[in-house]
Amino acid sequence: MKTKALGPIPAGYDALDGELAIGGRTASDLVASARSTPLFVYSRTHLDRRMAELRAALPKRVGINYAVKANPHPDVIAHMEPLVDGFDIASSGELAMVQAQRIDPTRVSFAGPGKRDEELEAAISAGVTLNCESEGEAARSLHIGQRIGKTPRIAIRVNPDFELKGSGMKMGGGAKPFGVDAERVPALARSIINEGADWRGLHIFTGSQALSAEAISETQSNVLKLAEKLSGDIGEPLPKLNMGGGFGIPYFPGDEPLDLGAVGSALERMVDNLPDSFDDTQLCVELGRYLVGEAGVYLCRVIDKKVSHGTTYLVTDGGLHHQLAASGNFGTVVRRNYPVAIASNYSGEAQDVVNVVGCLCTPLDRLADAALLPAADVGDIVAVFCAGAYGATASPSAFLGHGAATELLV
Amino acid sequence: MKTKALGPIPAGYDALDGELAIGGRTASDLVASARSTPLFVYSRTHLDRRMAELRAALPKRVGINYAVKANPHPDVIAHMEPLVDGFDIASSGELAMVQAQRIDPTRVSFAGPGKRDEELEAAISAGVTLNCESEGEAARSLHIGQRIGKTPRIAIRVNPDFELKGSGMKMGGGAKPFGVDAERVPALARSIINEGADWRGLHIFTGSQALSAEAISETQSNVLKLAEKLSGDIGEPLPKLNMGGGFGIPYFPGDEPLDLGAVGSALERMVDNLPDSFDDTQLCVELGRYLVGEAGVYLCRVIDKKVSHGTTYLVTDGGLHHQLAASGNFGTVVRRNYPVAIASNYSGEAQDVVNVVGCLCTPLDRLADAALLPAADVGDIVAVFCAGAYGATASPSAFLGHGAATELLV
């Protein structure tokens, strides 16, 4: 069988006693303390290091928000609380999650194209900033604010006329369900201000999962130019500008890590050249995947090793019910291998070409195709990396009744 | 904007007072009694009619099993209990679900490539038939049976050398993680019989979601020939033969319903020509999607109606967190529209070209692209059909914290 390459294992995952170690503990030790597989392990060390890299690279003036949707595990949110400047939520469910961690609501903003009245009410009542997605949503928010006697904090999410080039998901450029088309923003902003809302500025999100520093810098430059123009047209300075995110992580063979230094120094120059009208504008980037993606590893156990027509299968107790994106079934056209390893034989020499599959009774349930891996048999532990973002909650955990995975922050 | 066709609405969904009616009740009535959207509605009438069609078309001798994974809602399982002959489960979680409905374990069989020891023990202990997927799993099952003092009921799942042509998912033909390659089945069966297990025959599953009667009949013919050969090689009659399923339902523009009459009459001829050694063999087909898929409708509410660069969006409170397959993100290469309608204006004349999207903050969350639909505005109810199978449980319901949908059998 022809070998297919695996994605690159993120930095900082070394061997201990021949096994994969996470947070200084071996995979078998982690599985033993969780008392079950499959298991998501999130590493504090990795979370801290990524934040330190970002603080070192980005201009001091630019805050860092955590997009909770990437990983809403309570322990992860609690760990991020002292590290980041703000939290971005996408539903009243996520509002409850940040409230459960006693996060100051003035640090929280809420974006999402289909906010229900009860969600708007919960957010306004808590004092969370609404990133308003349409004229209709603005009217509903103002009405709800009046009804409950609370001034809503409102920013406008802008649908810009440009996109983040090379991004995995484009969220700007042309017709989009997100935000308000740029040319309609000044009139809406004036109306929001006139109606007495607490004006919070703009949110300009253009795409996600880009690995090119040049593309990110170009987009950030476009975001700042657009914000400057819109602020002028509105006739008021922006209290805050959420510049969006888009910082990607390597998942697939050939992917190279983002050059964060290049992004930071380009952004430094842009920020230094901002006009005086931005002197009091809070700037931030909004990151999810980039903060937590590489900090998570999914561990599952080999339940069966079998051969069919010359092909060897490692059948695990994990699968797409926990790792939909890794199986290649979530917004992917061509399936490619994530970084995968034999966690229980991490120092072993790669010698066998195997297909790693999940336990679900569907041919979609693939974790690695034709992977060259060290020897593994029933009982061995398989690691799927880049499992910290859009893993547990972005997968159909009820599918086929196997249940959710354990999640552990170490 | 150029219109994109919608998939065909299944038969039996008529208008009542201008609205979509399900089980004799209007969409707004159903939503009112559920007190929330989004909502899955499953129709008893549709379930009953589909079973009646199958009983009329298929030979009397061929039993019908329900594959619980298609829709494990407790009320659906309970409704199917008196209608079908057996239940196929894919995990110990699904075992617990059929046990909760007090279904006789001798009517249940368990297939799945990664059965854990504790799952095998639960199934053997309950008296469920194991569709054994490998020599290793057979050895573990026999060992567990000895340990707990209970004779395991074992069938062998066969990986056949042929596939179901035109099927949405191929589960036979070449190397596969499912079942035992056909040429190794006789030796394994002899060994299972010699070890004293309760020998239950064969399970031959070749694919799913085929709309061609000819392809299904050809496959059924191949299944019967293979079963005859294997039975001869084993030297014992088969107590049971699960012939698999594969009966598809129309989802997309241009899809035509399966010609069930043609499948039934072809199968009648095949069954009539079976050799005497099959006289005592219980025959069954295993169907999931075909039994429940068209009986379910997903209802969600329009939260916002907005225009971006000339494109109109109906933003609903539903989305891919409940209807992943309809969004085009589950095992799909090219996104096509499912059947979608304005449930609250079902009799209205199609007049507007709109994009129907979900509430999730991701461009993946699309329910219908460029659909020509009757007038709809905020508060209207959107119906997505073919939501009875692989909907609620095959979607990432925790994604973005919006929560699970209500499910209602009417």
Side-chain angles (χ1 to χ4, degrees):
Chain A
M1 185 162 59
K2 199 168 171 300
T3 303
K4 288 189 183 156
L6 294 164
I9 294 176
Y13 289 105
D14 301 318
L16 180 66
D17 301 335
E19 290 191 47
L20 168 66
I22 310 171
R25 296 170 62 186
T26 62
S28 59
D29 176 32
L30 290 163
V31 165
S33 64
R35 282 194 235 158
S36 70
T37 46
L39 170 67
F40 284 93
V41 183
Y42 309 125
S43 156
R44 286 190 177 91
T45 313
H46 278 78
L47 294 172
D48 293 347
R49 190 171 54 203
R50 178 50 51 91
M51 281 303 301
E53 288 165 1
L54 278 161
R55 293 295 188 191
L58 297 185
K60 292 283 161 291
R61 217 191 125 172
V62 175
I64 298 169
N65 281 13
Y66 177 47
V68 169
K69 63 163 91 66
N71 187 331
H73 191 275
D75 295 345
V76 172
I77 295 175
H79 187 79
M80 298 308 279
E81 195 275 334
L83 299 178
V84 299
D85 300 293
F87 290 83
D88 293 299
I89 58 170
S91 67
S92 58
E94 291 188 354
L95 172 59
M97 295 172 202
V98 297
Q99 286 179 316
Q101 302 307 322
R102 302 182 180 284
I103 288 164
D104 178 357
T106 63
R107 295 171 68 195
V108 180
S109 57
F110 179 6
K115 303 185 192 84
R116 306 191 220 202
D117 283 356
E118 53 269 38
E119 295 189 296
L120 292 171
E121 181 168 338
I124 294 167
S125 169
V128 159
T129 295
L130 299 169
N131 291 340
C132 182
E133 308 263 354
S134 73
E135 287 84 353
E137 189 180 292
R140 288 192 292 133
S141 302
L142 291 163
H143 179 77
I144 289 167
Q146 280 181 332
R147 180 165 57 74
I148 65 172
K150 177 119 186 179
T151 304
R153 296 161 63 87
I154 303 184
I156 297 177
R157 181 169 179 181
V158 183
N159 176 27
D161 267 329
F162 49 86
E163 62 181 38
L164 171 51
K165 281 178 196 151
S167 60
M169 277 186 221
K170 296 185 198 320
M171 298 178 82
K176 287 284 177 304
F178 309 107
V180 177
D181 291 352
E183 64 270 21
R184 297 205 314 269
V185 168
L188 178 60
R190 290 299 329 156
S191 135
I192 287 169
I193 294 166
N194 290 339
E195 295 283 340
D198 185 356
W199 168 239
R200 297 303 304 148
L202 300 175
H203 178 211
I204 309 180
F205 202 101
T206 51
S208 66
Q209 181 51 22
L211 292 171
S212 154
E214 199 182 351
I216 288 177
S217 297
E218 185 192 309
T219 294
Q220 289 182 330
S221 168
N222 287 333
V223 164
L224 289 171
K225 277 182 220 153
L226 177 59
E228 195 179 326
K229 177 177 185 312
L230 291 174
S231 173
D233 291 350
I234 295 165
E236 296 252 6
L238 301 176
K240 188 166 174 182
L241 172 64
N242 177 333
M243 304 176 63
F247 298 19
I249 63 173
Y251 282 98
F252 302 115
D255 282 358
E256 294 285 342
L258 178 63
D259 183 346
L260 193 57
V263 171
S265 48
L267 186 56
E268 185 91 56
R269 285 191 298 275
M270 294 176 216
V271 166
D272 287 347
N273 290 319
L274 279 174
D276 297 348
S277 61
F278 275 70
D279 280 359
D280 292 324
T281 303
Q282 265 184 279
L283 299 174
C284 74
V285 290
E286 169 183 347
L287 302 172
R289 188 193 309 270
Y290 194 72
L291 298 188
V292 297
E294 295 183 319
V297 182
Y298 177 67
L299 299 177
C300 53
R301 198 181 278 282
V302 178
I303 296 295
D304 203 354
K305 182 176 182 174
K306 59 193 287 189
V307 176
S308 171
H309 297 284
T311 298
T312 301
Y313 291 88
L314 299 180
V315 184
T316 69
D317 59 6
L320 70 79
H321 52 314
H322 303 144
Q323 274 288 50
L324 184 61
S327 78
N329 289 296
F330 197 33
T332 317
V333 175
V334 178
R335 194 199 175 285
R336 289 177 295 168
N337 286 329
Y338 265 43
V340 167
I342 305 300
S344 47
N345 189 12
Y346 198 57
S347 306
E349 202 179 331
Q351 61 175 67
D352 298 329
V353 181
V354 298
N355 285 352
V356 183
V357 299
C359 60
L360 300 194
C361 206
T362 161
L364 299 176
D365 199 8
R366 296 145 71 185
L367 294 175
D369 292 345
L372 180 66
L373 290 171
D377 211 332
V378 172
D380 271 303
I381 301 168
V382 169
V384 181
F385 296 89
C386 298
Y390 303 114
T393 59
S395 302
S397 63
F399 196 36
L400 271 60
H402 289 278
T406 306
E407 297 174 83
L408 203 62
L409 177 69
V410 298
Chain B
M1 184 162 59
K2 198 168 173 299
T3 303
K4 287 189 185 157
L6 294 165
I9 293 176
Y13 289 105
D14 301 318
L16 181 65
D17 301 335
E19 290 190 48
L20 168 66
I22 310 170
R25 296 171 63 186
T26 62
S28 59
D29 176 32
L30 291 163
V31 166
S33 65
R35 281 195 235 159
S36 70
T37 45
L39 171 66
F40 284 93
V41 184
Y42 309 125
S43 156
R44 287 190 177 91
T45 314
H46 276 78
L47 294 172
D48 293 347
R49 191 171 52 205
R50 179 49 52 90
M51 280 304 300
E53 289 164 0
L54 277 160
R55 293 295 187 193
L58 297 185
K60 293 283 163 290
R61 216 192 127 173
V62 175
I64 298 170
N65 281 13
Y66 177 46
V68 169
K69 61 163 93 66
N71 187 332
H73 191 274
D75 296 346
V76 172
I77 295 176
H79 187 79
M80 299 306 281
E81 194 277 334
L83 299 178
V84 299
D85 300 293
F87 289 83
D88 292 299
I89 58 171
S91 66
S92 57
E94 290 188 354
L95 173 59
M97 295 172 200
V98 297
Q99 285 179 316
Q101 303 306 323
R102 301 181 181 284
I103 287 164
D104 178 357
T106 64
R107 295 170 67 195
V108 180
S109 57
F110 180 7
K115 304 185 193 82
R116 306 191 220 200
D117 283 356
E118 52 268 38
E119 295 190 296
L120 292 172
E121 180 168 339
I124 294 166
S125 170
V128 160
T129 295
L130 300 169
N131 292 340
C132 181
E133 308 263 355
S134 73
E135 288 84 351
E137 189 181 293
R140 287 191 293 134
S141 302
L142 291 164
H143 179 76
I144 290 167
Q146 280 182 332
R147 180 164 57 73
I148 66 173
K150 178 121 186 177
T151 304
R153 297 160 64 85
I154 303 184
I156 297 176
R157 180 168 180 182
V158 183
N159 177 28
D161 266 331
F162 49 87
E163 63 181 38
L164 172 51
K165 280 177 196 154
S167 60
M169 277 186 220
K170 296 184 198 322
M171 298 177 84
K176 287 284 179 303
F178 309 108
V180 177
D181 291 352
E183 66 269 22
R184 298 205 314 268
V185 167
L188 178 59
R190 290 298 332 156
S191 135
I192 287 169
I193 294 165
N194 290 340
E195 295 283 340
D198 185 356
W199 168 238
R200 298 302 304 148
L202 301 175
H203 177 212
I204 309 181
F205 202 101
T206 52
S208 66
Q209 181 51 21
L211 292 171
S212 154
E214 199 182 350
I216 287 176
S217 297
E218 185 192 309
T219 295
Q220 289 181 330
S221 168
N222 287 333
V223 164
L224 289 171
K225 277 182 220 152
L226 177 60
E228 195 180 328
K229 178 179 184 312
L230 291 174
S231 173
D233 290 351
I234 295 166
E236 296 253 2
L238 302 176
K240 189 166 175 183
L241 173 63
N242 178 333
M243 304 176 61
F247 298 18
I249 63 173
Y251 283 99
F252 302 116
D255 282 359
E256 293 285 343
L258 177 64
D259 182 347
L260 193 57
V263 171
S265 49
L267 186 56
E268 186 90 55
R269 286 191 297 276
M270 294 177 217
V271 165
D272 286 347
N273 289 318
L274 279 174
D276 297 348
S277 60
F278 275 71
D279 281 357
D280 294 324
T281 303
Q282 264 184 278
L283 299 173
C284 74
V285 291
E286 169 184 347
L287 302 172
R289 187 193 310 270
Y290 194 73
L291 298 188
V292 298
E294 294 183 319
V297 182
Y298 177 68
L299 300 176
C300 53
R301 198 181 278 283
V302 178
I303 296 296
D304 203 355
K305 182 176 182 174
K306 59 192 287 188
V307 177
S308 171
H309 296 284
T311 298
T312 301
Y313 291 88
L314 298 180
V315 184
T316 69
D317 59 6
L320 70 80
H321 52 313
H322 304 144
Q323 274 290 49
L324 184 62
S327 78
N329 289 297
F330 197 32
T332 317
V333 174
V334 179
R335 195 201 172 285
R336 289 177 295 167
N337 286 329
Y338 264 43
V340 167
I342 305 300
S344 47
N345 189 11
Y346 198 58
S347 304
E349 201 177 331
Q351 61 175 69
D352 298 328
V353 182
V354 298
N355 285 353
V356 183
V357 299
C359 60
L360 299 194
C361 205
T362 160
L364 299 175
D365 199 8
R366 296 145 69 186
L367 293 175
D369 291 346
L372 180 65
L373 290 172
D377 211 332
V378 172
D380 271 303
I381 301 168
V382 169
V384 181
F385 294 89
C386 298
Y390 303 114
T393 59
S395 302
S397 64
F399 196 37
L400 269 62
H402 289 278
T406 306
E407 296 175 84
L408 204 62
L409 177 70
V410 298

